[in-house]
Each structure stands twice: as structure tokens, then as C-alpha cells.
Amino acid sequence: MSFTTPHVDFLNDLDNYLPLGTLILPLDPSSSLGNQFEESYPEAVYSGDLDRDHQARELHRSVWALLCLGWLRAFARKHPQAPGQIQVRVYVLPADVGGRYMERTDKHWDHLKKLMKYIDTSSERWQGTQTSKLPDNEGKHSTLVHRPENQDSLFYIFNTLPSPTPSSVVSCPISSHAISCLLGGLNEVPGLRTNLYAYQRRSAAMMIRREVQPMRTLDPRFEEFECPTGGKYYYDRTSGLVFRFPRFYEEAKGGILAETMGLGKTLVCLAAILATKGHWPSVPPQYSVEQRHTRSRVGSLMDMAAAAANRERIPWRSYLQRMSTTGEEFGNCRGILERNVPSYTIPAPEARRSRRPTNVQSGKVIRLSTATLIIVPQNLLSHWRNEIAAHIDHDALQIYYVDSNESVMPSARELQLCDVVLMSKSRLEEEMSLNSNLKNTCTCTEAQNSRCSAHSSTSYSSPLADLHFLRIIVDEGHDFSSFGRKNNAVFALQKLRVERRWIVSGTPSSGLLGIEASTATIETLSGINDRDSLLVIDILERRRRSGIELQLESSVRKSALLQERKDLEKLGSIAVDFLDLHPWSNTKGGNDAASWKQYIIPNDDGVRKPKSLANVLKSLVVRHRVQDVEKDIKLPLLHNRTVYLEPKWHDKLSLNLFCMSLAVNAVTSERVDQDYMFHPRNRASLNQLITNLRFSGFYWTAFTKEEVTKSIELSRKYLENKDGLEREEEGSGSLRKGDCEFLQRAIRVGEVALRSPSWTAFSAAHELGLYIDDFPQDARKAWSLTEDTPEAPLIVGASQIAKAQSFVDTHLYVSDPASGLGALGKSTMNKLWNSLQSKPTKAVKNAHGDPPNPPSPPKHRDAHLSTSIQKPATLGKRTVSRTKSIHSPKRATDARPDASRAHDTASTGELMPNRHPSALKSALKSSSTTQPVDPIDRSSILSRTRLSGTASAKLSYLLDRIIVLQESEKILIFYEGDNIAFYIAQALELLGIQFLIYTGSLSALRKSAYITTFNATETFRVLLMDVHQAAHGLHIATASRVFFVNPVWQPTVEAQAIKRAHRIGQQRPVYVETLVLKDTLEDLMLKRRKNMSAQEHHKAEKSLLDDDIMQQLIKDADFIPLLAEEVDDIGKQMAPLQKPQ
């Protein structure tokens, strides 16, 4: 290799090289090395040991390749203290030195990586005071090095990040003043009427500090090492690069506000916005050169002063507003300042050379804006409105609300006057879409402004694209990240020009979950605070080790690895696509491109990269440790208990029929091939069956008489073919011990169901079964679903008794309100049976003649499983109670939002009213705060008519609790399956308790209205909510009683639901009750869930069938014993109310 003289001089200067470390090699007896160092590298000496010879061969090839390239220099001598060994001092040419003399290629860095595995960097080896042969294990530079901090779980790292400790000392005096206001060093934040807790002050102050003075941190790809001679160098284990000088990057101007659920993240954001009101963003560096405006003529002194004030980013709006409170007016000053708002121009792309004349395109003018753009899910718009109204002075902020696609987006000049633009995620996506259906609207004050987007293009051009905003805040921003691809929201956000960027989410991803998710679901006797220090420490230590490192079974370990990779990839999406965090967002293909996947995400074998994740998370996340929050605030106690109920007749029968379906399928299919329900190809059907089985723990009517009959016939036929014989051996294709007896028990369960008049009637009519005492005798037979027994309670469907109640309500003031009730009953029941008779069914005898059976199931090779594996049809769609309130709630003694607050405006800038659905308006209008007088004569039988019980043990318990609690507390009921909500709603309507149902089928606008109405009024006492809709930042602190009608399989989903009520603003202790039928499959499910590790939960997150133990428990499910006295005794079948209503 030939070099010019400068190259040779450079390579001969040893000062350009770094003393890297020492190699100890075996001495060749024929070597001529002396006791003094000389520049040479000895030939490899092989020992005959295959592993050691392989290492020596690899090292020898790498060293010689680097020596030939001039990247390495080696000096060797006989080891002074170890005869038979050679001491080799190795010097390396850093990658950031000598670039003008040598060309570096990536392929040669692999040689350095191999060398680094064996090099010893200790000063003792360098001096020759220690001896050793070639190391058997990989050294400290290995890419596979294991360190304790790299084995900690994401959960542990996230919950042990250091709490913010912001300093008010920043380079910008204006921002320093804002931070001092938040920290309490000076006056309070102007316009903020709520006293912040200390941790909220620190979080808001840290947000501003990170925005205005982001920390300079060492490139996270490099680690700092010490040379054997005492100097420093920086090594990238993944690429093999060695640097002499550190390389720094600035942290993002923003991050992730990840305070614990319910601790006031919205208020923290509002405080940061108020403290920086009127602050200007900077012109991007690439557009700051030659951007100063040249006047056509000399401006007035006031114009030049206004331009200078804006150029120096003076927050004049907050100053003028503060001085206006003293009575001083600065109208002229304000007008001139607004005319001189700073801007910059993005040059137009260079036009292609052409001989034809072309129009010269002008650059795009971008105006700076002091506004904060807040993007929220549609259902949280009302929450932000209410929070603004509750915590911010009326005229403190100019806010523009864009709450639907129909809202008019003002011009860029109008938006410049706002402090906050609050809009929904869906509107942002539509606003920035290339195929937007929105129309340009010109509201310019200048006639035919040539630069107005409304005039310059026929396609929609968003005014948001003409502004450079100070800040953007994305609430529940974890929805904006995605696994493996970008979504529409990410593309929309990338088109905006914003200086400071924040994601607001207590759970940025599944693995980055707060400790409250574990504490909230712990069952307690006396109540706990979810930040109890001993409890927190215990949970953290138990979940410290990563599931990847623990000795778990292969499937669980694989699931844990997959979950961690997903979590980190979603976090990378936030860091790269939204926060523009360098070096990860460096341009691909550039000189310094960095791959998040390559450096941060674990290897396929589960080993994490050496660089600790804690530093990356520390640079992104603003979050307090729970023990630090506890010093400032204590939420009311959280009481969480499981209520074990004895299943009643219909509960047992429904659960047993599901067990019968599984038993018949398992035995008759002999547990082989696709006929077996647990065959992998039947996974979707099995999942639906298990979902239906869980729903049946509350109430179930989807089984049909024909379906049960088919199961019985199939079982008998199978037993006949087997001649009742069993084989003792287990295995595929054979009967297991006890199978025949199990099948016979299944037959008996089916026969009991078919003989039960009440089960037959409820299933045929798909009705919630109710039991009525003292119903008028002459109308009993007309309304009864079964053969009427005068001395027993009347069995009737909820829909039918609702019609009877409505009839009586409209005849309260006649002499005999019960007159005509029997005729109505006959008409109602005839319509019911006729509607069923219109379907192709067979007749079933009833007291009224021949009402039909339910429709036949579809043809299927397993007809006996048809309805159990189908999603049940939704029985009702109404989500607002229509009844007038009968039970009058007592005036609440705790602090609650005023009803008028739902329609408050946050500022004079609000242009869009808050709209409520008409159903809510009518319900609110018809509500009464006084107890109505009962006009029915006490001598009338109707005055003694009472609802004495239901067919569901859970429903009866729930009604008893609601009746007592709703007088003084609001109640939140979480359910899975819309039919469960429908059954509860039917019962509440009969009792005159008004409710709302928050289900996934609601529009985003109606969801928002329901939450606002429930929080702001006393009319609605109960909110029924789909538990899977409860994990999106909803604030329902007006409710202090929480019920889960079925145990929730995922603890994180349950915790999210509980935190809707147990959060800042809650004035009462929160009581949580989970209803479980004792000694049933859901009882086993809950016990299994409590004993599962975090990694096992990750594996079975989507389906409980992914947990092998739970799947086996389902396979082994047994029948619930049916007592003989329950078969015919209606009173024993009923789940009675403690106090008939």
C-alpha cells in the first residue's frame, strides 16, 4: 500500500492513535522477540484445542486486516512476568481522526468488533503486572454483555425513573420567569385559578425546561470507556466504531408526560400553556438566514419597535393583558404588533430548465404562532372543555374549539390570535389529508389576498399548514403510535410545523404501565391508597426481572420477548415519527443514520443491547415516582373486594348447558380432528364459546330447546354405539375413564332444562326473567310466561312487565287502574308468541296454547354447539333511560361540578357550542328532584304488587346495592357484552332509576355528551360502561361506587376502569366490587388470574385460552349440582331481592 508523504507522516505519529488495550498471546519458541517493545505482531500459535484455536484464528485474521489498513498499530515483547507469553499493546486509529487521509468503509469495522471481544483495557495488563491467556469468555466490549440494569423489566424501569427536579436557571430569561412562576419562586401563574400540587408544579416546569433548554447527551449508540493510560474513548458495540471525542445530541424539545392515571395530566398541560402564554417559537435554523424583512420605505418608530419586539420573541400579549387589568388600554400598540408578527419563507423548489417561459413560483410564507395545538380523541373533547372551565379564568386564554368535521376552520391570521386550538384527532386527520372533503373558506380581511390558500387552490389547503405553532399536545398519544407501520394520525402530525411536541399518556405502551395497574386490582379488606410505599416496593421487586431473563417455559418467554419488542417499537414510533429525537430520526441513508430497531430492540434470542434503556426513557418521559407523589397528595382510600354469590337455578342451568356442549363435543369427537372444539382450526369458534360462557355468568337465554334436544339425541346415540363400554387407557381415539358417566350426566342436565317451564319460556322469548308478588289475580294468567301457580310469584319477562307498568302509570287517576290489565296481557303475549311463530319453529305447550319454539339452528356438523359458538344478537340499542325518576337522590354533600358547567365557555374565543343529543335533553327535562306522591289507593292490590326477585343472582344483588347506594352516591357499572347492559337497564327502568349506557357503538360525540351529563347532573345515578371503553382517559370522579358484573381477565383493563373513578377530584372513598358466582368457572378464572406472572398475562392478553392452565381448567369443567327442591319450586329458583320493590 502506497501513501503520499502527508499520509505517511500522519500514520507514523502514534499520538493520532488511541492506546486501546493489551493482548496476552502464547510465545512461539522460534520467536526473536526481546524484552523491549517493538512494533510487530506475532504469528498465531495453535494449541490443538479446537475452541481456543478458533478464537486465535479469528483474532489473528482481524488484527492483520486492520494492520494492513493502517487502522491499527501493535507493539509486542516477551512478557516480563510470564515466561512463554507475549504482551501486545494495541493502538487503534479512531473513526473521528484522519478522515482526510484515509477512507473508512463499514465492512472493515467488523474486524475491529472481533478484536474488541478479546482486548483487555486494564492498566495492570498494559503495565505487564498481570498475566492471562486468551480469554475463554467474551470481554467487556462484547455486544452480548449481560449487566444487571439490562435485565430489569420495562415495567420496573418505567416505574423507577427519577422524578423531575427542574431548575429555573435556563438561558432564556422569559422562560426562566415562567418556570419560577410554576415552582412558586415568584407570583402564581396568571389566569390559573386552581392551586397546583407540588408534583404538578414540577412536572409543568420540567416540560418548559425541556422545551427551551433540552439537555445535551452523549450519543446513545456510544459508551464511554477508559484507556489503559487514563484517557477516554467512545465505542459503539453494534457498528464497531471507536471515537476519540464524544458526540452529543440534544434531547427532544418535548417528550412524554406520563404521570400516573388520575393525577391531573390535563391540569399540568394547562399550567404549562398559561405559564408560556405569548411565547414565540424560533425560526427553524435552515430558514433563518437572510429572512429579515426589507421595508420599501422607512417605517415609523412604532413599527420598527414592534418588529424588534417580535424578532426578539417578547411575549407582549401576556404583558398587555396583564396591564389591561389595571385599566390601561393599548389598542394601537396591539394592532401594530399583530401586523408585524414574525414569519419566514420556505423557498420554492427549483424549476426544471426549459426553453419555454414558466411562471416563477414564490416561496411559501409561514407565520409564527404562539398557539398550542391540542389534539384529543373525540370523546375527550368535553373533558378538556370542562377542565379548562374549572381551572382557567374565563378571559385568560383565547381558545378555538374545532369539535367536528362540520366546524369551520378559520384563516391562519385568525388562528394566530388564539392561545389554544383544541381539536379532535379525526378532524386533524381530515384536515391534513390529501383527499380531504373539507372546503376552503376565505375569511381574509384583505380582498383577494394572493397568498390566501382559499384563492390559490381548488383542493383544500388547511390553514394549519400556514402556521408554525409553539407547541402541540397529543392527549392519549399512545394511540398515535403503531406497531410496524405508520397510521394516518402520524402522517398528519408530520405535516405540521411545531417547535415543541408532547405526548400525554399514562401508558405509552403495554409494557410501560404504571404501578397503579397492579395496586388497583389488589383485593383489600380495609382499603388502601394505591401509592402505599410498602405495597409498591413489593410489587416492583416481584416484577423487576425481565421475562426474557427469567427461567420460564419457552412459550411464555417467547411471548414476553414479543411483547417487549412491540412495546419498544411503539416507543420508537413516538420518538422518531413524532418527537423527532436524534440520532434515531436522522435521515436514512445519511452519514449518521441510526436504526432504533438495531440499537434498542432486543435480539431474536431475547438478549438486550448493552446500552441501558433507562437513559433513553429518562430523556423522553416526565413522570413522578409514586412515593414522591405521595408526599404531596393522598387520594381517598380504594376498597376492592370480590363478592362471591351462590348461583341460583337459572345461573346453574345456563352454565351447565355450556358444560354439556363441551362435554358432548369432547366425548363424541373423541378429542381428535376438527370435530373436537379444542382443535386449533376451531380457535375462533372456541373463543366465542368461552366469551358466551363468561356472559352466562350473568344471564343467558340463547340456548334453544331444539339445540338441547339434539345434544341429548347425539349423546344417546353415541353411547349406544359404544355399548356403554369404556377403556381404561387414555389416548387419542379412545374413551377416557369416566367419559360415559360424564356423558350421562350431560344428558340429565339437558333433560332437566327441557322439563323446566321457566327455562323453556325465557329461552323461547329471550326475556329477562322476573318474579312478581301480589300481581292482580284476574290478570296473572294473561301475563305469565309459564303455567301459572297462584300461590307462587308470577313469572314474567322484563319487556312485558314494563308494558304493564306503563299501562298502570297512564291509568293512575282512574277508579281502578288495574282494569283492562288482563286484556292488555293477552294482547301483549299473543303478539310475543305470534312474532316467534312467524319463524320456522316447532310448537311448545304453554298455558296460553301453543307458543312456538325459537328458530332452528343452522345446519352444522356440530349442531349442538350452534348458538354457543355464535355471537349473541344484541337485544336492545337504547342507551338512555326513558323512565321518570322514582327514587329521588339526596343532595350530594361532596364537591361536584355544577350542572351548568357542561355548557360553560372557556373563553371568548369559543365559537362552537357544546351539543347534547335530544334523548339526553328530554331525560333531563323530565327529571324531578322531589319524591312523587303515589296516587294508588292503599286498598288496591296494585299498592302491594312488588318485584320480589329475578332469574339472575348477580342482577338481584346489583339491584339491592343500587337501590341503597344511588340515593347518595353515583354508581359506575362495568360489563362485557351489550346484552348484559340491556338486562340491567331493563331492571333499572322498572325501578325508576335513570341511567346511561356507554357502549362502543355510540358515536364519539354522544360518548362525550354522556360523560359530561353524568358528571354534571344529578339526574342520572348509574353509568353502565363497556369495560373495554374505559381505558381512554375518561374522568368519572363523580362516581364512588364501582361494580364489575363479571371478573375481568386482563388486570390492566380492570385497573384502567377503576382509575376512571379513583383519581384527582374524587372526594369520597372508592368502593369496588367484583361479582363472582361461587365455585364456577369464573371463580376458577379469577383465582388463576391472581396467580399469574406478568409474562403469563402478556402471553394470554388476547384470550384466556392462550394460558395453558386456564385452557385445561375449561376442558376439565364439571357440572354444578342441581338441588332436587329447585326443579319444581319457583321460590327456590328465584334470586330474591332483599327488599321487594
Side-chain angles (χ1 to χ4, degrees):
M1 183 180 295
S2 60
F3 298 98
T4 61
T5 301
H7 292 166
V8 174
D9 292 342
F10 172 79
L11 294 176
N12 287 336
D13 187 354
L14 195 59
D15 290 339
N16 292 325
Y17 288 77
L18 281 171
L20 186 61
T22 308
L23 292 173
I24 306 299
L25 303 175
L27 176 65
D28 187 345
S30 62
S31 173
S32 60
L33 280 176
N35 295 325
Q36 300 297 321
F37 282 105
E38 56 184 81
E39 187 166 6
S40 66
Y41 187 76
E43 294 290 338
V45 177
Y46 302 112
S47 63
D49 184 301
L50 293 179
D51 290 338
R52 186 168 293 279
D53 287 351
H54 173 73
Q55 293 180 7
R57 215 174 270 112
E58 179 184 55
L59 176 63
H60 184 76
R61 285 197 299 265
S62 297
V63 171
W64 275 107
L66 295 171
L67 288 171
C68 293
L69 290 168
W71 294 11
L72 207 70
R73 294 182 68 176
F75 295 81
R77 70 172 181 180
K78 290 182 179 179
H79 201 288
Q81 296 185 6
Q85 292 187 356
I86 299 174
Q87 178 188 5
V88 182
R89 288 180 175 175
V90 178
Y91 295 79
V92 67
L93 185 65
D96 55 346
V97 174
R100 60 181 295 189
Y101 300 111
M102 301 187 65
E103 182 180 355
R104 313 291 180 94
T105 57
D106 293 340
K107 65 179 182 179
H108 296 306
W109 289 111
D110 285 338
H111 292 302
L112 185 58
K113 286 169 62 178
K114 294 175 182 178
L115 168 63
M116 295 293 270
K117 291 195 298 183
Y118 305 112
I119 204 79
D120 191 313
T121 61
S122 67
S123 59
E124 292 82 7
R125 292 279 173 82
W126 187 266
Q127 298 299 329
T129 57
Q130 286 187 359
T131 61
S132 174
K133 296 183 180 180
L134 192 67
D136 294 322
N137 300 315
E138 294 170 327
K140 63 186 289 187
H141 296 89
S142 169
T143 57
L144 303 179
V145 68
H146 290 266
R147 296 183 177 181
E149 63 268 24
N150 293 325
Q151 298 174 14
D152 290 341
S153 66
L154 277 178
F155 177 87
Y156 181 85
I157 295 173
F158 183 66
N159 284 280
T160 55
L161 291 173
S163 298
T165 55
S167 169
S168 61
V169 180
V170 294
S171 57
C172 174
I174 297 173
S175 298
S176 178
H177 175 79
I179 295 174
S180 297
C181 289
L182 283 167
L183 295 177
L186 297 174
N187 57 302
E188 296 293 331
V189 179
L192 184 65
R193 70 165 70 119
T194 302
N195 291 325
L196 300 176
Y197 292 105
Y199 76 89
Q200 292 174 326
R201 292 179 177 275
R202 292 191 296 269
S203 292
M206 180 57 78
M207 289 177 66
I208 298 175
R209 180 176 176 81
R210 287 197 177 182
E211 290 173 344
V212 300
Q213 194 166 305
M215 297 283 292
R216 285 174 53 83
T217 58
L218 178 68
D219 187 332
R221 294 169 292 179
F222 287 84
E223 293 179 80
E224 182 182 286
F225 289 94
E226 186 173 350
C227 295
T229 58
K232 303 286 185 183
Y233 67 94
Y234 304 87
Y235 177 55
D236 178 357
R237 299 176 189 268
T238 302
S239 68
L241 291 172
V242 176
F243 275 27
R244 167 167 282 172
F245 305 105
R247 182 163 58 183
F248 295 97
Y249 281 101
E250 278 192 351
E251 294 179 351
K253 290 186 176 181
I256 303 172
L257 179 62
E259 295 290 6
T260 298
M261 293 182 292
L263 291 186
K265 293 186 289 292
T266 304
L267 179 56
V268 170
C269 293
L270 293 176
I273 292 170
L274 272 175
T276 56
K277 177 183 175 180
H279 291 203
W280 293 96
S282 300
V283 175
Q286 63 269 34
Y287 304 122
S288 61
V289 180
E290 298 181 0
Q291 288 285 340
R292 186 164 295 185
H293 176 67
T294 302
R295 299 180 184 275
S296 58
R297 60 181 181 177
V298 177
S300 67
L301 182 59
M302 187 172 285
D303 280 327
M304 288 189 288
N310 284 325
R311 190 165 55 249
E312 297 300 321
R313 300 190 298 163
I314 305 297
W316 49 264
R317 283 177 177 159
S318 58
Y319 292 159
L320 294 181
Q321 183 178 11
R322 197 176 307 129
M323 287 186 285
S324 66
T325 59
T326 63
E328 300 181 66
E329 295 294 337
F330 298 91
N332 290 337
C333 293
R334 184 184 297 273
I336 293 174
L337 285 166
E338 289 175 352
R339 286 201 306 270
N340 287 273
V341 166
S343 62
Y344 61 90
T345 302
I346 299 178
E350 294 185 5
R352 294 183 178 180
R353 293 185 178 181
S354 175
R355 294 181 180 180
R356 298 180 180 179
T358 57
N359 294 327
V360 179
Q361 296 183 358
S362 59
K364 182 178 179 63
V365 177
I366 304 298
R367 304 177 187 276
L368 299 187
S369 170
T370 62
T372 294
L373 188 61
I374 302 177
I375 310 299
V376 303
Q378 182 71 48
N379 62 322
L380 293 185
L381 278 171
S382 62
H383 167 68
W384 275 85
R385 282 174 173 266
N386 295 337
E387 289 292 287
I388 290 171
H391 303 298
I392 307 298
D393 287 340
H394 180 70
D395 58 349
L397 293 174
Q398 293 293 320
I399 305 176
Y400 195 94
Y401 295 96
V402 187
D403 53 5
S404 69
N405 286 350
E406 289 73 34
S407 301
V408 177
M409 180 67 72
S411 67
R413 287 185 177 276
E414 289 179 300
L415 288 175
Q416 268 189 310
L417 303 178
C418 296
D419 298 307
V420 173
V421 179
L422 178 62
M423 65 191 305
S424 66
K425 172 186 173 183
S426 58
R427 176 59 187 261
L428 174 69
E429 293 176 359
E430 183 69 21
E431 194 75 24
M432 307 306 293
S433 172
L434 294 176
N435 301 315
S436 176
N437 294 320
L438 302 174
K439 303 297 182 182
N440 288 317
T441 303
C442 177
T443 55
C444 297
T445 55
E446 302 174 12
Q448 296 299 315
N449 184 353
S450 61
R451 292 184 176 179
C452 173
S453 59
H455 299 148
S456 59
S457 175
T458 56
S459 61
Y460 181 73
S461 177
S462 174
L464 300 178
D466 297 332
L467 296 174
H468 189 113
F469 291 95
L470 174 71
R471 180 189 292 113
I472 185 171
I473 295 175
V474 181
D475 197 7
E476 295 302 320
H478 57 268
D479 289 340
F480 282 78
S481 63
S482 56
F483 177 66
R485 61 182 179 83
K486 293 182 180 180
N487 53 33
N488 292 336
V490 171
F491 284 116
L493 290 170
Q494 289 179 333
K495 294 179 182 179
L496 295 172
R497 295 175 179 85
V498 185
E499 181 178 270
R500 311 171 186 184
R501 298 167 178 260
W502 287 97
I503 290 285
V504 178
S505 176
T507 55
S509 69
S510 299
L512 299 177
L513 190 67
I515 190 73
E516 70 280 355
S518 296
T519 58
T521 57
I522 295 176
E523 189 172 354
T524 62
L525 297 177
S526 58
I528 62 168
N529 189 293
D530 67 349
R531 291 175 297 280
D532 181 84
S533 57
L534 295 178
L535 180 62
V536 167
I537 292 172
D538 178 63
I539 293 174
L540 284 175
E541 287 303 318
R542 282 192 285 109
R543 296 189 59 179
R544 179 168 187 171
R545 293 294 301 279
S546 168
I548 299 171
E549 300 297 331
L550 294 175
Q551 299 300 318
L552 300 172
E553 61 174 287
S554 175
S555 60
V556 175
R557 188 173 181 274
K558 182 179 179 181
S559 175
L561 171 60
L562 179 61
Q563 184 60 48
E564 180 168 323
R565 291 172 68 91
K566 287 182 177 181
D567 289 334
L568 291 176
E569 186 157 340
K570 292 184 72 174
L571 184 65
S573 176
I574 294 174
V576 176
D577 299 328
F578 178 72
L579 296 176
D580 192 29
L581 180 65
H582 294 284
W584 314 114
S585 61
N586 292 351
T587 306
K588 292 183 179 180
N591 294 329
D592 192 29
S595 169
W596 177 274
K597 180 178 180 180
Q598 185 178 10
Y599 282 87
I600 300 298
I601 297 179
N603 299 326
D604 291 337
D605 58 1
V607 178
R608 285 186 182 163
K609 303 300 190 297
K611 186 65 180 175
S612 174
L613 286 174
N615 291 335
V616 177
L617 290 175
K618 192 187 303 181
S619 69
L620 293 176
V621 176
V622 174
R623 175 185 173 84
H624 278 81
R625 292 185 180 183
V626 291
Q627 56 266 38
D628 294 327
V629 175
E630 190 178 16
K631 298 174 184 176
D632 303 327
I633 181 178
K634 283 186 179 293
L635 290 180
L637 288 181
L638 174 65
H639 302 261
N640 193 338
R641 73 186 184 105
T642 302
V643 179
Y644 292 95
L645 303 172
E646 290 291 342
K648 292 300 180 180
W649 166 259
H650 288 283
D651 301 320
K652 296 177 185 179
L653 209 50
S654 295
L655 293 169
N656 280 347
L657 287 174
F658 273 101
C659 289
M660 182 187 75
S661 295
L662 290 172
V664 172
N665 173 264
V667 176
T668 58
S669 68
E670 299 186 351
R671 300 179 180 87
V672 295
D673 300 329
Q674 294 184 40
D675 287 339
Y676 184 35
M677 180 53 64
F678 285 86
H679 189 277
R681 291 202 174 184
N682 296 325
R683 185 57 180 272
S685 296
L686 181 60
N687 270 323
Q688 186 60 55
L689 183 146
I690 300 305
T691 299
N692 294 343
L693 172 57
R694 294 181 60 206
F695 293 169
S696 70
F698 187 85
Y699 190 69
W700 187 260
T701 62
F703 280 110
T704 66
K705 179 180 178 181
E706 186 178 54
E707 185 177 7
V708 175
T709 302
K710 181 70 175 180
S711 295
I712 294 174
E713 293 174 352
L714 181 62
S715 301
R716 285 174 174 163
K717 183 176 180 181
Y718 183 82
L719 290 174
E720 290 173 1
N721 292 338
K722 289 295 182 180
D723 295 328
L725 297 177
E726 294 183 350
R727 301 179 187 176
E728 293 296 330
E729 67 272 18
E730 296 185 6
S732 298
S734 66
L735 284 173
R736 295 182 180 178
K737 183 178 181 180
D739 273 357
C740 285
E741 193 275 334
F742 195 50
L743 204 57
Q744 289 168 352
R745 291 171 62 197
I747 293 172
R748 288 196 291 271
V749 165
E751 290 173 340
V752 169
L754 294 178
R755 291 200 310 269
S756 171
S758 58
W759 178 87
T760 304
F762 295 156
S763 297
H766 294 291
E767 280 290 341
L768 170 63
L770 300 178
Y771 296 81
I772 309 296
D773 281 338
D774 294 323
F775 197 81
Q777 287 292 334
D778 57 350
R780 282 180 62 96
K781 186 175 181 180
W783 288 96
S784 179
L785 281 174
T786 64
E787 186 76 35
D788 185 36
T789 306
E791 64 276 6
L794 172 68
I795 299 179
V796 66
S799 301
Q800 288 74 52
I801 199 64
K803 292 184 178 181
Q805 185 181 49
S806 177
F807 175 84
V808 173
D809 287 344
T810 58
H811 294 76
L812 286 176
Y813 297 98
V814 301
S815 58
D816 182 10
S819 178
L821 193 58
L824 177 65
K826 291 181 180 179
S827 172
T828 300
M829 300 307 289
N830 283 335
K831 286 182 180 179
L832 171 65
W833 301 127
N834 288 337
S835 67
L836 295 174
Q837 200 169 21
S838 63
K839 303 172 185 178
T841 58
K842 297 178 182 180
V844 177
K845 287 287 182 180
N846 183 275
H848 305 292
D850 294 316
N853 233 359
S856 301
K859 291 184 179 180
H860 189 275
R861 65 169 182 271
D862 290 320
H864 63 283
L865 287 172
S866 58
T867 58
S868 61
I869 62 176
Q870 294 174 4
K871 185 175 181 179
T874 303
L875 301 178
K877 296 182 179 180
R878 187 157 49 85
T879 57
V880 183
S881 59
R882 295 175 181 172
T883 181
K884 294 184 179 181
S885 178
I886 296 175
H887 294 81
S888 176
K890 296 179 181 178
R891 181 63 58 186
T893 57
D894 59 321
R896 298 182 186 272
D898 183 54
S900 62
R901 184 170 295 170
H903 300 281
D904 283 349
T905 56
S907 74
T908 56
E910 180 182 355
L911 301 181
M912 295 301 297
N914 190 10
R915 298 186 295 272
H916 276 208
S918 58
L920 286 180
K921 290 183 179 180
S922 61
L924 289 169
K925 186 183 297 184
S926 65
S927 66
S928 174
T929 59
T930 60
Q931 183 74 20
V933 178
D934 189 356
I936 296 180
D937 192 316
R938 291 184 179 275
S939 62
S940 172
I941 185 65
L942 289 176
S943 66
R944 300 191 300 275
T945 303
R946 294 288 185 269
L947 171 66
S948 56
T950 74
S952 166
K954 289 184 178 180
L955 180 58
S956 292
Y957 176 85
L958 196 61
L959 294 179
D960 283 331
R961 300 290 288 154
I962 292 173
I963 291 168
V964 174
L965 297 172
Q966 63 93 29
E967 295 185 355
S968 59
E969 298 183 69
K970 286 194 174 184
I971 300 164
L972 188 55
I973 301 175
F974 290 107
Y975 66 88
E976 293 182 84
D978 288 343
N979 281 345
I980 293 178
F982 177 71
Y983 292 136
I984 299 173
Q986 281 186 310
L988 292 179
E989 292 243 70
L990 291 173
L991 299 178
I993 299 173
Q994 295 201 335
F995 62 86
L996 295 168
I997 304 179
Y998 190 101
T999 180
S1001 61
L1002 295 175
S1003 66
L1005 182 61
R1006 187 171 284 265
K1007 287 180 181 179
S1008 177
Y1010 279 18
I1011 296 298
T1012 300
T1013 303
F1014 183 75
N1015 285 330
T1017 72
E1018 293 294 327
T1019 302
F1020 297 97
R1021 309 305 297 164
V1022 178
L1023 178 64
L1024 298 160
M1025 178 174 284
D1026 186 335
V1027 71
H1028 296 289
Q1029 298 293 316
H1032 299 287
L1034 301 177
H1035 180 94
I1036 319 176
T1038 52
S1040 55
R1041 295 284 177 166
V1042 178
F1043 292 91
F1044 291 92
V1045 297
N1046 294 104
V1048 181
W1049 173 246
Q1050 303 99 324
T1052 55
V1053 173
E1054 180 183 348
Q1056 289 270 11
I1058 293 172
K1059 296 305 290 185
R1060 297 313 104 212
H1062 192 238
R1063 57 197 301 118
I1064 284 185
Q1066 180 58 260
Q1067 303 296 319
R1068 299 171 178 264
V1070 175
Y1071 293 86
V1072 180
E1073 297 183 31
T1074 300
L1075 308 187
V1076 178
L1077 293 181
K1078 189 177 179 181
D1079 298 328
T1080 63
L1081 193 61
E1082 67 179 18
D1083 190 357
L1084 296 175
M1085 184 199 82
L1086 186 59
K1087 291 175 181 176
R1088 169 57 186 156
R1089 195 200 80 172
K1090 292 178 178 179
N1091 293 323
M1092 291 171 67
S1093 66
Q1095 290 73 33
E1096 289 173 320
H1097 277 299
H1098 279 310
K1099 177 189 175 185
E1101 183 178 18
K1102 293 183 178 179
S1103 170
L1104 53 80
L1105 291 170
D1106 291 329
D1107 179 62
D1108 296 336
I1109 295 178
M1110 193 65 236
Q1111 183 172 143
Q1112 191 60 46
L1113 289 173
I1114 296 172
K1115 290 180 180 180
D1116 297 338
D1118 200 358
F1119 298 105
I1120 305 172
L1122 296 172
L1123 302 179
E1125 60 267 23
E1126 294 176 327
V1127 177
D1128 300 314
D1129 190 337
I1130 293 178
K1132 298 290 186 181
Q1133 295 178 1
M1134 173 181 65
L1137 296 176
Q1138 288 184 354
K1139 183 179 180 181
Q1141 299 295 310

